[in-house]
Amino acid sequence: LPLDNRTLRHGGLQHLHWRGVDYTVDTTLWKESWSPHELAEVEQRQAKMDWFPLAWLNFPKDVLEPQTLGFVGGHLSHVDVWRWAHAANLDWVFVLEDDALPNPAFG
């Protein structure tokens, strides 16, 4: 992807034209580190939104990973799937990472 890696990692706006669609990649709010207090605050907000509780288990690890070209590319690939599903008039779509593992809690 034609994006500046430094801007991804340290925050900023970048514009991208990919597969015929214009995107703005916004990392202005991405933090390089989170305090335990900030993570707890986010967890409380998610609980108020009735977030699936097991989703929180990965959030602290995921949010601490740096933004990379692969990270953005993966999200753009998901957008492609959502656009395809919308064009196909599907009622729902389930998007997984290539390394996804089922959670035993789902039964």
Side-chain angles (χ1 to χ4, degrees):
L1 296 171
L3 295 170
D4 177 59
N5 233 353
R6 187 176 182 337
T7 304
L8 281 179
R9 296 177 79 79
H10 300 289
L13 292 174
Q14 298 186 65
H15 301 285
L16 171 69
H17 186 79
W18 189 69
R19 295 189 178 171
V21 180
D22 291 317
Y23 294 93
T24 298
V25 178
D26 182 355
T27 57
T28 55
L29 296 178
W30 195 263
K31 298 171 61 77
E32 290 195 42
S33 65
W34 293 69
S35 71
H37 174 75
E38 289 170 321
L39 287 172
E41 194 174 298
V42 171
E43 182 178 16
Q44 290 171 355
R45 289 182 190 165
Q46 289 175 334
K48 288 179 184 176
M49 293 187 296
D50 199 24
W51 247 51
F52 178 62
L54 293 177
W56 177 255
L57 298 176
N58 283 326
F59 181 82
K61 179 186 76 68
D62 292 344
V63 78
L64 294 174
E65 291 180 2
Q67 298 284 322
T68 63
L69 295 174
F71 181 89
V72 174
H75 282 13
L76 292 174
S77 294
H78 291 179
V79 171
D80 272 353
V81 172
W82 300 329
R83 288 179 180 277
W84 170 82
H86 179 71
N89 202 29
L90 297 177
D91 290 335
W92 62 273
V93 63
F94 190 54
V95 180
L96 296 173
E97 299 290 333
D98 61 344
D99 60 351
L101 296 173
N103 187 320
F106 290 138

